[in-house]
Amino acid sequence: MLSEIKNICCIGAGYVGGPSMAVIADKCHFLKVTVVDIDSEKIDNWNNSNLDKLPVYEPGLREIIERRRGKNLFFSSDVNKTISDSDMIFISVNTPTKTKGLGAGEASDLKYIESSARQIAKYAKDETIIVEKSTIPVKTAETIQKILETCKKPEESISGEGSVFHVLSNPEFLAEGTAISDLFDPNRVLIGGENERAIKFLYGIYENWIAPEKILTTNIWSSELSKLTANAFLAQRVSSINSISALCEVTGANVSEVSKAVGMDNRIGKDFLKAGPGFGGSCFKKDILNLIYISKFYGLFEVASYWESILEINKWQQERISKIIVTKLFGNLSEKKIGILGFAFKANTNDTRESPALYICKDLIEEGAKLSIYDPKVNDEKIRLDLQKVITNKNHKKITTSNCVYEVSNNSDALVILTDWDEFKNIDWDKVNKTMRSPAWIFDCRNILSKNNMTKTNLNLWQLGNNL
Ligand code: UDX
Ligand code: UDX
């Protein structure tokens, strides 16, 4: 029987698994932490001595890797062996939206969760705690538990005796770009589960750096549903302010002023009220689709359509921006060069999943524009790979990528700011002005520019939610 936790592992060395395990290793030197992944190239990059090659960019992450890698933090492709050495196994694999079959377009595809559970059932030792960290539909813990129970045939298990498994839900609330500070000082840690002893072991890890009053224990389904609900509420705030941004443009109000005034009400709060080109990232859309699916499943169609509207506003906001760009450029983008500043779904990450840039770039290319794209952390290969999925083959030659703002602006008819990188707040507009083709437009879709910095130029500025 498990008496203490010494070895933990995490299946999935992605944006969640990598940083969250790095922080556990940093805070708990007495634990051996191993992160495994089926993608051996990714593991090689986590092990690369050149820290610029780490698969995930997060401020503060490379310093932790430098401190703990090879000491109590390891990255490995040997999934089976690591599973059998571990007392506690976190599952942090991706759970994309299903593209076919029952629930296609809404439900999460749990194939990776399922294959991980089967692997655990086969290779784990006598008593193991399984922690679901991936955001998953409500009741997934039950599925994992069933797979573990039915697959742990003694003759197939490593010990020959079959194993005892306890499944906990421990959703991760980190936001990309601030993952390390979120993990060091989270608002709360949520542990859902039924088995007291298993909960105590996981609690025992977190209490090494997190105050007990911030560690909540709940039943397993509350924990799963809380994660989906938190993401849905955050996305809902973004869609709410984005809907108001359009109203500001036609009435002459300024959305930044409205956000500030509204957010100063303590009951509303100031966070997540920044208008922009719509939310992206791997979670918001997928989690809302999960809520929609589960609501429909239980016959709650009004609930489903409420959450559907949050996604509709998000899509509409992106389409609206594309249309405004076309209209301002005399309704014609054919043979025009448009510079795209920012491709990641938000600043301080190299993640492009569901980035608004994908959809806006696609619209502009389909209108005939040639794009020159620059993002401080997303490289040429990644940009091309992503766009290949949304545009037709013949349009690939309409894309170039650059290494700096001033290369992008050269001979451009417009610049479109899509990611809120700090670098874009300090652009030398005089320099840009000299390189662009007149009449030149700057579309600030993140509201990060100050008009005062452009007064000496003849650049035209359009800012989201602000009828200048
Ligand atoms: C997140 C969250 O964990 C999940 O809740 C969210 O819903 C989607 O993405 P994230 O870390 O951001 O996960 O995903 P990703 O960066 O894609 O990492 C997942 C990793 O799991 C990948 O590296 C993939 O290779 C790995 N994986 C997947 C396995 O190791 N085994 C599998 O069977 C499947
Ligand atoms: C989100 C949740 O914040 C996090 O708790 C959860 O674990 C995973 O999903 P993440 O997707 O990394 O994190 O980023 P987040 O900061 O939430 O931003 C999501 C999207 O909303 C981004 O595209 C961002 O630009 C956009 N956003 C956010 C706005 O447009 N306006 C805002 O005010 C805030």
Side-chain angles (χ1 to χ4, degrees):
M1 194 160 106
L2 205 54
S3 59
E4 61 177 324
I5 305 291
K6 282 195 270 191
N7 296 321
I8 68 173
C9 86
C10 176
I11 307 179
Y15 285 90
V16 172
S20 58
M21 292 301 120
V23 167
I24 291 181
D26 201 39
K27 295 292 185 185
C28 306
H29 293 186
F30 55 92
L31 285 176
K32 180 182 174 197
V33 181
T34 309
V35 192
V36 294
D37 204 291
I38 43 170
D39 181 345
S40 57
E41 199 184 324
K42 196 174 262 186
I43 292 296
D44 289 346
N45 284 331
W46 279 110
N47 283 323
N48 204 309
S49 54
N50 177 358
L51 293 173
D52 289 335
K53 297 266 189 238
L54 290 180
V56 172
Y57 170 75
E58 278 294 338
L61 177 63
R62 65 185 282 155
E63 290 80 359
I64 301 180
I65 301 293
E66 251 171 336
R67 282 201 292 273
R68 302 313 314 166
R69 196 175 59 189
K71 295 195 175 103
N72 69 329
L73 176 63
F74 302 89
F75 295 91
S76 166
S77 307
D78 193 345
V79 183
N80 299 345
K81 160 110 183 34
T82 309
I83 287 176
S84 62
D85 286 345
S86 297
D87 309 310
M88 183 180 273
I89 301 170
F90 292 79
I91 303 182
S92 193
V93 297
N94 39 332
T95 49
T97 303
K98 275 181 93 170
T99 51
K100 48 183 188 241
L102 192 66
E106 285 175 356
S108 268
D109 191 337
L110 295 178
K111 65 181 174 201
Y112 301 131
I113 296 269
E114 188 173 332
S115 60
S116 300
R118 286 179 193 280
Q119 243 172 330
I120 293 170
K122 190 159 179 193
Y123 293 100
K125 59 185 181 187
D126 314 347
E127 189 183 16
T128 309
I129 298 169
I130 317 301
V131 185
E132 44 168 42
K133 251 214 177 303
S134 301
T135 310
I136 26 80
V138 181
K139 299 265 176 186
T140 303
E142 201 175 62
T143 311
I144 298 176
Q145 188 79 51
K146 269 190 197 139
I147 294 169
L148 293 171
E149 293 299 325
T150 46
C151 296
K152 60 166 189 186
K153 293 195 195 108
E155 65 278 12
E156 280 185 15
S157 84
I158 280 273
S159 65
E161 293 166 5
S163 312
V164 181
F165 299 109
H166 310 291
V167 181
L168 300 177
S169 157
N170 173 221
E172 185 45 68
F173 292 98
L174 68 81
E176 288 176 32
T178 52
I180 302 302
S181 54
D182 291 346
L183 287 160
F184 278 164
D185 186 20
N187 290 169
R188 78 310 211 177
V189 165
L190 193 52
I191 303 177
E194 313 303 327
N195 185 287
E196 297 277 321
R197 219 161 49 84
I199 293 174
K200 225 165 133 196
F201 280 129
L202 185 55
Y203 195 103
I205 292 178
Y206 285 114
E207 72 177 354
N208 283 288
W209 77 99
I210 293 160
E213 62 273 16
K214 283 191 172 179
I215 310 178
L216 298 184
T217 54
T218 65
N219 84 35
I220 203 147
W221 300 293
S222 298
S223 169
E224 291 178 337
L225 186 59
S226 301
K227 171 66 189 192
L228 291 188
T229 307
N231 275 346
F233 275 35
L234 291 170
Q236 182 256 11
R237 281 174 74 95
V238 176
S239 275
S240 296
I241 197 67
N242 283 345
S243 74
I244 299 299
S245 72
L247 209 49
C248 287
E249 286 160 28
V250 290
T251 56
N254 176 331
V255 75
S256 304
E257 292 174 357
V258 174
S259 291
K260 188 170 177 187
V262 170
M264 280 173 80
D265 186 325
N266 286 340
R267 294 167 303 175
I268 297 173
K270 65 180 174 25
D271 294 331
F272 268 75
L273 286 182
K274 255 164 84 193
F279 53 77
S282 70
C283 285
F284 282 3
K285 183 173 164 191
K286 181 171 68 75
D287 291 352
I288 291 182
L289 287 171
N290 266 321
L291 274 188
I292 294 169
Y293 181 72
I294 193 169
S295 304
K296 286 185 184 164
F297 181 83
Y298 287 107
L300 300 168
F301 297 102
E302 288 75 10
V303 177
S305 75
Y306 172 71
W307 290 108
E308 258 160 4
S309 72
I310 309 301
L311 293 180
E312 277 160 21
I313 288 285
N314 201 50
K315 187 161 174 273
W316 173 78
Q317 180 80 337
Q318 289 161 8
E319 291 166 355
R320 192 171 84 75
I321 288 173
S322 304
K323 281 186 194 148
I324 288 171
I325 297 171
V326 177
T327 311
K328 296 280 187 202
L329 297 183
F330 311 120
N332 164 42
L333 298 193
S334 178
E335 293 307 308
K336 285 185 178 154
K337 179 182 165 190
I338 298 186
I340 302 293
L341 298 182
F343 201 75
F345 80 96
K346 62 188 267 197
N348 296 320
T349 177
N350 59 348
D351 194 349
T352 57
R353 286 176 290 182
E354 288 298 326
S355 177
L358 288 168
Y359 303 106
I360 293 172
C361 286
K362 171 180 184 280
D363 288 347
L364 300 179
I365 288 173
E366 283 173 358
E367 284 285 342
K370 291 186 281 183
L371 300 186
S372 172
I373 305 172
Y374 166 60
D375 186 288
K377 289 288 171 198
V378 188
N379 63 26
D380 172 81
E381 190 190 349
K382 178 77 182 128
I383 291 173
R384 286 179 189 281
L385 219 64
D386 281 348
L387 284 176
Q388 264 168 28
K389 292 180 200 146
V390 291
I391 61 174
T392 56
N393 276 345
K394 71 174 174 33
N395 279 332
H396 290 172
K397 48 185 182 303
K398 290 188 177 162
I399 306 162
T400 53
T401 60
S402 301
N403 289 321
C404 83
V405 172
Y406 308 101
E407 219 175 275
V408 165
S409 65
N410 197 24
N411 276 325
S412 285
D413 298 273
L415 291 182
V416 185
I417 298 181
L418 291 179
T419 313
D420 43 346
W421 286 103
D422 274 347
E423 183 181 331
F424 302 151
K425 295 174 187 162
N426 302 311
I427 292 174
D428 179 345
W429 291 108
D430 286 338
K431 195 168 163 186
V432 164
N433 191 27
K434 287 185 193 121
T435 63
M436 290 184 76
R437 220 163 68 123
S438 281
W441 275 92
I442 311 299
F443 295 93
D444 176 11
C445 304
R446 293 279 186 174
N447 267 318
I448 54 174
L449 303 184
S450 158
K451 192 169 169 44
N452 295 339
N453 297 339
M454 291 191 187
T455 45
K456 289 197 211 108
T457 71
N458 53 12
L459 297 168
N460 298 294
L461 175 64
W462 176 86
Q463 283 189 298
L464 186 86
N466 187 0
N467 185 349
L468 296 165

